[in-house]
Amino acid sequence: MKIRLENITAAIVSLGCAKNLVDSELMLGKLRERGFNTAAEPEKADVIIVNTCAFIEDAREEAINTILQMAEYKKDGNCRVLIVAGCLAQRYPEEIKKELPEVDAIVGINSVDRIADAITRAYEKGSGAPVEELSDEYGASYMNGPRVLSTPAGSAYVKIAEGCDNRCTYCAIPLIRGNMRSRKPEDIIAEVRELVSNGVREVNIIAQDITKYGKDLFGKPALSELLKEIDKIEGLWMIRLLYLYPDEIDSELIETIASSEKIANYVDLPLQHISDRILKKMNRRGSSDDIRRVVSELKAALPDGIFRTTFIVGFPGETEEDFQELLKFVKEYPFDRIGVFKYSPEEGTPAGTMPDQVPEDIKQDRYDRLYKLAGKISLGLGRKRKGKTVSVLTEGVCDDGIFYYGRSYAEAPDSDGKVFFTSSEPLGEGDIVDVKLLIAEEYDMTGKALN
């Protein structure tokens, strides 16, 4: 059956991390380029694409539940074709074919740029086994395609690399997304220029490990050089760096961040633990002393910096002594934001078969204690920001019609809180306004715009 593309509307439900969101935006861009219509609401679409995450068991469960929810639109809605894309599709295609007969096409992470072909083939084949667009050839050029942004006005993610060369024993990402592939710097800079020309004021630099950017291209990390070029782009308000692994942070990178007016004094360090014994079992590079040195150097260079990290509790073999060492570190080196995760054994990873798996009740107890401490520290540091004036990127207005909300340099999209504020003048999404901070909560701030 031949189809007329202009008569087909597609929608994407994007799950998981910001890197997955960029892939969804690239798929939307490819569909528009090929003549498809796109919609934000899946219930209005002829084609529904679920771009999945498969990082941990909870993410896989969410993906399957979402696929089943979207399948209902095939029974009682407009949907003619249901597609599963992303990490779940890449890693578990046979299971999808066996367990989810509602699915019409399976599109892996290496086939993002072939999404339109998958839809066309699914329409033309009619019933039967799902169409497969799967490849084990990992590349980076697909990230240079057209994008349809789904982030709030004025902000966008820029993915500078795909995959990961780190082999943390708990992580399945290299098994799904392959080794690290850096984009060419000229491609990244061209994308940022285009985003800024279309009204983007904040770019959030992402990858599995941005500190290793360029090592595969140039034989050594080249993040500092890339940032210096992005920093020159006129009209750009803020550059935010996400996922800086501590072992590749050197004095040059710290100086680049500290000396730039555009790079946010916001440092996201996924530390995961501080016990040397646990770090070694995790196959994390660097010692606890190395981590303390890097954190101290960053805090000295960025006195008004906002620091974020993540920790895993309940890793195999973690003792109460290891956990107490982690609590002590968090008190001695307070972070403004701390993400706490319970260890989840993942298929195919070394940690999944390690002895001394920690019982779930102990994981939960340690999670609760660290989470409570993290909230207390965040509130205390937030109160120190009271009375300061910060520039805020407006994202919208609350349902009460009184308060606007947005983010300053201190709040990363999706992972942190918001700045809520009143304004005597009307504001639009994407406007930047100075806000005096008046009230601090654990993760949010409230203030007043200085119009």
Side-chain angles (χ1 to χ4, degrees):
M1 178 183 69
K2 294 295 182 181
I3 61 173
R4 293 177 60 87
L5 303 185
E6 66 271 17
N7 294 333
I8 297 177
T9 299
I12 294 184
V13 179
S14 192
L15 306 175
C17 65
K19 295 174 286 295
N20 222 33
L21 180 64
V22 171
D23 286 351
S24 295
E25 294 174 342
L26 287 164
M27 283 191 276
L28 285 171
K30 181 59 70 174
L31 292 177
R32 289 222 186 143
E33 184 182 60
R34 288 281 293 271
F36 288 86
N37 298 311
T38 58
E41 304 85 0
E43 61 269 21
K44 297 180 180 180
D46 306 299
V47 178
I48 299 176
I49 303 159
V50 183
N51 192 18
T52 59
C53 176
F55 182 45
I56 58 175
E57 181 61 32
D58 287 348
R60 292 191 289 274
E61 290 181 6
E62 180 188 24
I64 292 169
N65 289 335
T66 303
I67 293 165
L68 293 174
Q69 290 170 11
M70 295 302 107
E72 292 298 312
Y73 292 121
K74 292 183 71 176
K75 300 176 184 177
D76 303 307
N78 297 326
C79 182
R80 298 276 303 281
V81 170
L82 177 61
I83 296 179
V84 176
C87 294
L88 193 74
Q90 184 72 25
R91 195 173 191 198
Y92 300 107
E94 295 305 317
E95 289 83 350
I96 292 172
K97 286 190 288 184
K98 181 180 179 181
E99 304 294 338
L100 296 168
E102 303 90 345
V103 174
D104 299 295
I106 302 170
V107 180
I109 60 169
N110 300 318
S111 305
V112 165
D113 55 351
R114 296 197 286 276
I115 185 65
D117 296 330
I119 293 174
T120 303
R121 289 172 56 202
Y123 257 94
E124 291 176 350
K125 79 168 183 66
S127 60
V131 165
E132 294 184 47
E133 286 286 356
L134 298 166
S135 172
D136 291 328
E137 295 182 9
Y138 292 87
S141 60
Y142 82 91
M143 289 181 277
N144 299 331
R147 286 170 63 187
V148 176
L149 297 185
S150 55
T151 44
S155 180
Y157 291 103
V158 174
K159 185 156 64 167
I160 63 173
E162 180 57 279
C164 188
D165 288 341
N166 301 326
R167 291 297 185 268
C168 302
T169 57
Y170 53 82
C171 183
I173 291 298
L175 302 175
I176 302 171
R177 292 189 170 264
N179 291 335
M180 182 175 180
R181 292 95 65 199
S182 301
R183 296 173 66 189
K184 295 178 181 179
E186 57 267 30
D187 292 334
I188 299 169
I189 293 164
E191 180 180 21
V192 175
R193 289 188 188 279
E194 182 177 1
L195 289 170
V196 172
S197 71
N198 289 322
V200 168
R201 310 295 296 280
E202 172 198 48
V203 294
N204 300 280
I205 305 297
I206 58 172
Q208 296 296 338
D209 179 359
I210 68 171
T211 41
K212 280 192 175 60
Y213 167 77
K215 195 169 184 177
D216 53 322
L217 297 178
F218 311 113
K220 63 178 182 177
L223 181 61
S224 287
E225 290 83 351
L226 176 68
L227 292 176
K228 289 172 184 176
E229 292 303 312
I230 296 176
D231 196 57
K232 298 175 185 177
I233 296 175
E234 294 185 7
L236 182 59
W237 172 60
M238 183 180 296
I239 306 164
R240 188 186 303 278
L241 309 179
L242 300 175
Y243 324 125
L244 291 158
Y245 277 62
D247 60 293
E248 292 285 359
I249 296 177
D250 56 17
S251 57
E252 180 186 4
L253 181 56
I254 294 174
E255 172 60 24
T256 299
I257 297 171
S259 62
S260 168
E261 293 184 0
K262 293 180 182 177
I263 300 176
N265 287 353
Y266 181 101
V267 181
D268 185 358
L269 295 167
L271 299 180
Q272 310 308 0
H273 217 285
I274 196 62
S275 162
D276 279 320
R277 197 176 68 84
I278 299 301
L279 289 171
K280 185 176 181 180
K281 293 188 71 175
M282 288 179 167
N283 197 34
R284 302 283 291 183
R285 293 175 309 281
S287 66
S288 59
D289 286 342
D290 294 330
I291 291 173
R292 289 181 170 87
R293 175 184 54 77
V294 168
V295 172
S296 297
E297 290 177 359
L298 284 164
K299 284 181 174 286
L302 307 172
D304 65 339
I306 297 295
F307 291 83
R308 176 180 177 82
T309 191
T310 53
F311 292 117
I312 297 172
V313 298
F315 189 80
E318 183 192 54
T319 64
E320 180 64 22
E321 183 181 0
D322 296 319
F323 181 67
Q324 288 295 329
E325 185 178 351
L326 178 58
L327 292 179
K328 182 180 179 182
F329 171 77
V330 168
K331 294 173 184 176
E332 292 177 348
Y333 294 83
F335 282 74
D336 301 84
R337 326 266 191 249
I338 298 178
V340 184
F341 298 92
K342 292 184 291 183
Y343 167 72
S344 170
E346 293 305 308
E347 178 186 354
T349 62
T353 57
M354 284 181 179
D356 301 322
Q357 297 284 327
V358 176
E360 187 61 32
D361 59 335
I362 295 178
K363 289 183 193 177
Q364 187 64 50
D365 175 68
R366 291 174 183 171
Y367 172 91
D368 292 340
R369 283 189 279 166
L370 181 53
Y371 186 84
K372 182 178 180 180
L373 175 60
K376 182 179 179 181
I377 291 171
S378 181
L379 177 59
L381 293 174
R383 285 173 173 167
K384 293 182 178 181
R385 298 175 62 208
K386 287 171 58 176
K388 294 184 178 180
T389 298
V390 293
S391 295
V392 173
L393 179 68
T394 305
E395 293 185 319
V397 62
C398 297
D399 292 339
D400 60 14
I402 299 173
F403 283 90
Y404 291 91
Y405 61 89
R407 295 178 296 101
S408 71
Y409 81 96
E411 293 85 24
D414 301 320
S415 56
D416 295 335
K418 302 285 187 183
V419 177
F420 296 90
F421 60 97
T422 58
S423 173
S424 60
E425 300 291 337
L427 297 170
E429 190 176 318
D431 287 344
I432 296 173
V433 61
D434 287 341
V435 174
K436 184 174 183 179
L437 303 176
L438 302 173
I439 301 172
E441 299 178 42
E442 276 192 13
Y443 303 107
D444 299 321
M445 303 292 294
T446 301
K448 179 180 180 181
L450 304 178
N451 300 111

